[in-house]
Amino acid sequence: MFFALIGYGVYWAFYDMNRLPTGEYLTEEISPDGKYTLKAYVTNGGATVSYAIRGELVFNQRNNKTKNIYWNYREESANITWTDNDTVVINGHLLDVTKEKFDFRNQ
């Protein structure tokens, strides 16, 4: 039980995508069917840390509920293209927004 709590604490502190910095708004793209909006934000970690891009998926039909689906380090811009109603390409990373996330820390 002790090790499980320690493991969860490490995950929560360092890998939980819900704890990412907000960042400054860059751009957004709406899915072809209007069900989702993907918003991109750039974060500046300061003098010793590079820029990063956070991608936030907005569920337009669920009271604008959001979840983070993209987090990549050493990027300053976001190129977002929807390939179909549920698939988006963010800076070359193909994601099915219904079940996938991209986080550079888990690669």
Side-chain angles (χ1 to χ4, degrees), residues 46-86:
T48 60
V49 180
S50 185
Y51 289 93
I53 298 294
R54 179 177 67 89
E56 177 183 78
L57 185 67
V58 179
F59 297 87
N60 296 332
Q61 298 171 348
R62 291 192 205 161
N63 297 328
N64 294 328
K65 181 181 173 187
T66 64
K67 76 174 182 176
N68 292 320
I69 65 165
Y70 184 82
W71 178 243
N72 203 12
Y73 189 57
R74 294 189 175 130
E75 291 182 340
E76 295 183 35
S77 62
N79 183 8
I80 303 168
T81 307
W82 288 92
T83 60
D84 62 33
N85 293 332
D86 296 325

Side-chain angles (χ1 to χ4, degrees), residues 2 9 13 25 27 32 44 61-62 87 99:
F2 174 74
Y25 174 81
T27 187
N44 181 358
Q61 298 171 348
R62 291 192 205 161
T87 308
K99 59 186 172 194

